[in-house]
């Protein structure tokens, strides 16, 4: 039986360079992140013969990954951002970032937003950069009484707004995403299939759980009415010994409640993390896909996981996919629910 082999395709400004690169390839990797970080492409080439041309910054690289028996999966277009030549032995390293992440999004602006919904804000910024807005309905309808964008780029501003509402803000395939974390849908709105991983599917993992980030609740302050200078809301428990207090004072109670809720959800997710490397890469995997695992410890198997970052790597003749997962909820209260859902006894 013929075993499938890893395949890839690389084009530079539309010119197919795969056959030229193949004999020189040391490693090829694409990292896809859920957050505001741009997707990154890294190519490391052996330049022992000294005949490789150094690409110019700004040139476009398009990359596809796959297997000989299933074909290639498009991983996007990237703009060359950094190039390094080192030796001996001579090595050419190329780093590129998602081409959809325009330079203009990093330029600082001055803007005050009054009486706008999140949907209106995201659509305005998307239009400014020639991007298609993809906003969850529940977030699009949220009204923002007032928020300032002071000497702040559109990327930084949207990141801050997303953090307040526990949302994903990113640019993917010319779409400006603004979705709740764990939304479980693709760009086209289809529900994502969950991924079931067995311990035997790979050979490297790291599980970590910490009490340091465990809070009973989160407190957020907002400007009070009448004689009260400040008031506050608490999301979660009222245990004064383990309450996380947000440093910012918000304009309204609604803003404070949203920020406290988002931070509380983040603290629950960050308590438990799991990194895992699939021995056989999966080019169809990307951040936000729900993941269930088996064959580890019962405490690990029982948790519902969510992909935070996915890295595809071809090197040494093999193709692996590394997953960085976080638990979607409280590791303690979710353990029983997840185990029951999967048919545990």
């Amino acid at each position: 039986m013929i075993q499938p082999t890893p395949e890839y395709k690389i084009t530079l400004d539309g010119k197919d360079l795969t056959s030229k690169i193949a004999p020189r390839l040391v490693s090829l990797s694409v990292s896809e992140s859920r957050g505001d970080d741009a997707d990154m492409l890294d190519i490391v080439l052996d330049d022992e013969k000294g005949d490789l041309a150094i690409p110019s910054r700004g040139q476009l690289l398009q990359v596809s990954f796959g297997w000989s028996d299933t074909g290639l999966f498009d991983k996007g277009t990237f703009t060359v951002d950094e190039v390094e030549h080192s030796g001996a032995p001579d090595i050419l390293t190329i780093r590129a970032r998602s081409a959809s992440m325009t330079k203009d999004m990093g330029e600082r602006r001055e803007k005050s937003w009054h009486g706008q919904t999140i949907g209106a804000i995201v659509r305005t910024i998307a239009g400014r950069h020639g991007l298609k807005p993809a906003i969850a309905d529940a977030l699009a309808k949220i009204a923002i009484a007032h928020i300032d964008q002071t000497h702040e780029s559109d990327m930084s501003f949207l990141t801050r707004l997303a953090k307040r509402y526990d949302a994903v803000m990113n640019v993917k395939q010319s779409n400006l995403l603004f979705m709740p974390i764990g939304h479980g849908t693709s760009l086209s709105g289809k529900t994502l299939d969950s991924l079931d991983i067995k311990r035997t599917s790979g050979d490297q993992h790291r599980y970590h759980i910490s009490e340091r980030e465990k809070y009973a609740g989160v407190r957020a302050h907002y400007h009070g009415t009448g004689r009260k200078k400040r008031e506050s809301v608490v999301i979660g428990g009222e245990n004064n010994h383990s309450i996380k207090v947000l440093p910012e004072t918000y304009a309204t109670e609604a803003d404070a409640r949203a920020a406290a809720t988002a931070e509380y959800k983040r603290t629950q997710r960050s308590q438990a993390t799991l990194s895992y490397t699939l021995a056989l890469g999966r080019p169809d995997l990307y951040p936000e896909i729900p993941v269930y695992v088996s064959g580890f410890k019962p405490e690990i198997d029982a948790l519902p996981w969510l992909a935070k970052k996915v890295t595809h790597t071809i090197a040494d003749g093999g193709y692996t996919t590394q997953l960085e997962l976080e638990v979607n909820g409280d590791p303690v209260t979710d353990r029983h629910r997840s185990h029951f859902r999967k048919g545990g006894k």
Side-chain angles (χ1 to χ4, degrees), residues 224-239:
T225 58
R227 294 183 178 181
K228 293 183 178 180
K229 292 183 178 181
R230 287 201 312 174
E231 297 185 66
S232 68
V233 295
V234 174
I235 301 299
E238 283 282 2
N239 183 343

mmCIF file of all heavy atoms in Angstrom, residues 224-239:
data_model
loop_
_atom_site.group_PDB
_atom_site.id
_atom_site.type_symbol
_atom_site.label_atom_id
_atom_site.label_comp_id
_atom_site.label_asym_id
_atom_site.label_seq_id
_atom_site.Cartn_x
_atom_site.Cartn_y
_atom_site.Cartn_z
ATOM 1 N N GLY A 224 -20.680 56.951 38.554
ATOM 2 C CA GLY A 224 -21.923 56.919 39.299
ATOM 3 C C GLY A 224 -22.835 58.084 38.980
ATOM 4 O O GLY A 224 -22.490 59.019 38.263
ATOM 5 N N THR A 225 -24.028 58.030 39.534
ATOM 6 C CA THR A 225 -25.004 59.105 39.365
ATOM 7 C C THR A 225 -25.200 59.828 40.692
ATOM 8 O O THR A 225 -24.923 59.282 41.764
ATOM 9 C CB THR A 225 -26.351 58.529 38.890
ATOM 10 O OG1 THR A 225 -26.800 57.554 39.849
ATOM 11 C CG2 THR A 225 -26.208 57.871 37.526
ATOM 12 N N GLY A 226 -25.648 61.050 40.627
ATOM 13 C CA GLY A 226 -25.861 61.822 41.847
ATOM 14 C C GLY A 226 -24.552 62.102 42.550
ATOM 15 O O GLY A 226 -23.572 62.534 41.954
ATOM 16 N N ARG A 227 -24.500 61.843 43.858
ATOM 17 C CA ARG A 227 -23.309 62.119 44.648
ATOM 18 C C ARG A 227 -22.261 61.008 44.567
ATOM 19 O O ARG A 227 -21.130 61.188 44.999
ATOM 20 C CB ARG A 227 -23.706 62.334 46.117
ATOM 21 C CG ARG A 227 -24.560 63.579 46.345
ATOM 22 C CD ARG A 227 -24.841 63.763 47.824
ATOM 23 N NE ARG A 227 -25.615 64.980 48.061
ATOM 24 C CZ ARG A 227 -25.989 65.391 49.271
ATOM 25 N NH1 ARG A 227 -25.654 64.663 50.338
ATOM 26 N NH2 ARG A 227 -26.693 66.491 49.409
ATOM 27 N N LYS A 228 -22.662 59.882 44.039
ATOM 28 C CA LYS A 228 -21.722 58.763 43.965
ATOM 29 C C LYS A 228 -20.724 58.996 42.834
ATOM 30 O O LYS A 228 -21.099 59.204 41.689
ATOM 31 C CB LYS A 228 -22.474 57.449 43.728
ATOM 32 C CG LYS A 228 -23.358 57.028 44.892
ATOM 33 C CD LYS A 228 -24.003 55.680 44.609
ATOM 34 C CE LYS A 228 -24.852 55.226 45.784
ATOM 35 N NZ LYS A 228 -25.497 53.912 45.517
ATOM 36 N N LYS A 229 -19.440 58.974 43.182
ATOM 37 C CA LYS A 229 -18.399 59.158 42.166
ATOM 38 C C LYS A 229 -18.234 57.912 41.304
ATOM 39 O O LYS A 229 -18.044 58.001 40.105
ATOM 40 C CB LYS A 229 -17.072 59.513 42.824
ATOM 41 C CG LYS A 229 -17.053 60.887 43.485
ATOM 42 C CD LYS A 229 -15.672 61.191 44.041
ATOM 43 C CE LYS A 229 -15.645 62.584 44.659
ATOM 44 N NZ LYS A 229 -14.292 62.914 45.202
ATOM 45 N N ARG A 230 -18.300 56.746 41.966
ATOM 46 C CA ARG A 230 -18.155 55.492 41.231
ATOM 47 C C ARG A 230 -19.084 54.424 41.795
ATOM 48 O O ARG A 230 -19.339 54.381 42.988
ATOM 49 C CB ARG A 230 -16.711 54.969 41.295
ATOM 50 C CG ARG A 230 -15.727 55.729 40.464
ATOM 51 C CD ARG A 230 -14.472 54.880 40.176
ATOM 52 N NE ARG A 230 -13.915 54.226 41.349
ATOM 53 C CZ ARG A 230 -12.909 53.352 41.303
ATOM 54 N NH1 ARG A 230 -12.369 53.032 40.139
ATOM 55 N NH2 ARG A 230 -12.438 52.811 42.417
ATOM 56 N N GLU A 231 -19.572 53.611 40.907
ATOM 57 C CA GLU A 231 -20.321 52.428 41.307
ATOM 58 C C GLU A 231 -19.669 51.236 40.620
ATOM 59 O O GLU A 231 -18.790 51.403 39.761
ATOM 60 C CB GLU A 231 -21.790 52.566 40.920
ATOM 61 C CG GLU A 231 -22.488 53.723 41.637
ATOM 62 C CD GLU A 231 -23.973 53.764 41.337
ATOM 63 O OE1 GLU A 231 -24.676 52.809 41.749
ATOM 64 O OE2 GLU A 231 -24.425 54.736 40.695
ATOM 65 N N SER A 232 -20.085 50.031 40.972
ATOM 66 C CA SER A 232 -19.448 48.867 40.374
ATOM 67 C C SER A 232 -20.425 47.722 40.190
ATOM 68 O O SER A 232 -21.491 47.681 40.812
ATOM 69 C CB SER A 232 -18.269 48.402 41.240
ATOM 70 O OG SER A 232 -18.723 47.878 42.479
ATOM 71 N N VAL A 233 -20.051 46.814 39.308
ATOM 72 C CA VAL A 233 -20.787 45.564 39.114
ATOM 73 C C VAL A 233 -19.798 44.423 39.292
ATOM 74 O O VAL A 233 -18.606 44.573 39.027
ATOM 75 C CB VAL A 233 -21.438 45.476 37.719
ATOM 76 C CG1 VAL A 233 -22.507 46.543 37.553
ATOM 77 C CG2 VAL A 233 -20.392 45.603 36.622
ATOM 78 N N VAL A 234 -20.290 43.292 39.758
ATOM 79 C CA VAL A 234 -19.457 42.098 39.923
ATOM 80 C C VAL A 234 -20.094 40.956 39.142
ATOM 81 O O VAL A 234 -21.277 40.671 39.300
ATOM 82 C CB VAL A 234 -19.302 41.709 41.407
ATOM 83 C CG1 VAL A 234 -18.549 40.390 41.541
ATOM 84 C CG2 VAL A 234 -18.591 42.798 42.182
ATOM 85 N N ILE A 235 -19.295 40.320 38.307
ATOM 86 C CA ILE A 235 -19.734 39.134 37.577
ATOM 87 C C ILE A 235 -19.053 37.921 38.200
ATOM 88 O O ILE A 235 -17.835 37.906 38.390
ATOM 89 C CB ILE A 235 -19.374 39.222 36.080
ATOM 90 C CG1 ILE A 235 -20.033 40.452 35.451
ATOM 91 C CG2 ILE A 235 -19.798 37.955 35.345
ATOM 92 C CD1 ILE A 235 -21.547 40.465 35.506
ATOM 93 N N GLY A 236 -19.854 36.920 38.532
ATOM 94 C CA GLY A 236 -19.303 35.747 39.217
ATOM 95 C C GLY A 236 -19.633 35.817 40.688
ATOM 96 O O GLY A 236 -20.666 36.365 41.085
ATOM 97 N N GLY A 237 -18.747 35.276 41.518
ATOM 98 C CA GLY A 237 -18.994 35.242 42.953
ATOM 99 C C GLY A 237 -18.627 36.540 43.649
ATOM 100 O O GLY A 237 -17.964 37.409 43.093
ATOM 101 N N GLU A 238 -19.045 36.670 44.900
ATOM 102 C CA GLU A 238 -18.785 37.879 45.699
ATOM 103 C C GLU A 238 -17.712 37.610 46.750
ATOM 104 O O GLU A 238 -17.752 38.161 47.839
ATOM 105 C CB GLU A 238 -20.079 38.342 46.376
ATOM 106 C CG GLU A 238 -21.032 39.061 45.455
ATOM 107 C CD GLU A 238 -20.627 40.513 45.201
ATOM 108 O OE1 GLU A 238 -19.577 40.928 45.717
ATOM 109 O OE2 GLU A 238 -21.364 41.214 44.491
ATOM 110 N N ASN A 239 -16.764 36.743 46.453
ATOM 111 C CA ASN A 239 -15.699 36.432 47.391
ATOM 112 C C ASN A 239 -14.626 37.521 47.316
ATOM 113 O O ASN A 239 -13.884 37.616 46.344
ATOM 114 C CB ASN A 239 -15.082 35.064 47.049
ATOM 115 C CG ASN A 239 -14.010 34.652 48.039
ATOM 116 O OD1 ASN A 239 -13.493 35.476 48.787
ATOM 117 N ND2 ASN A 239 -13.681 33.368 48.030
#
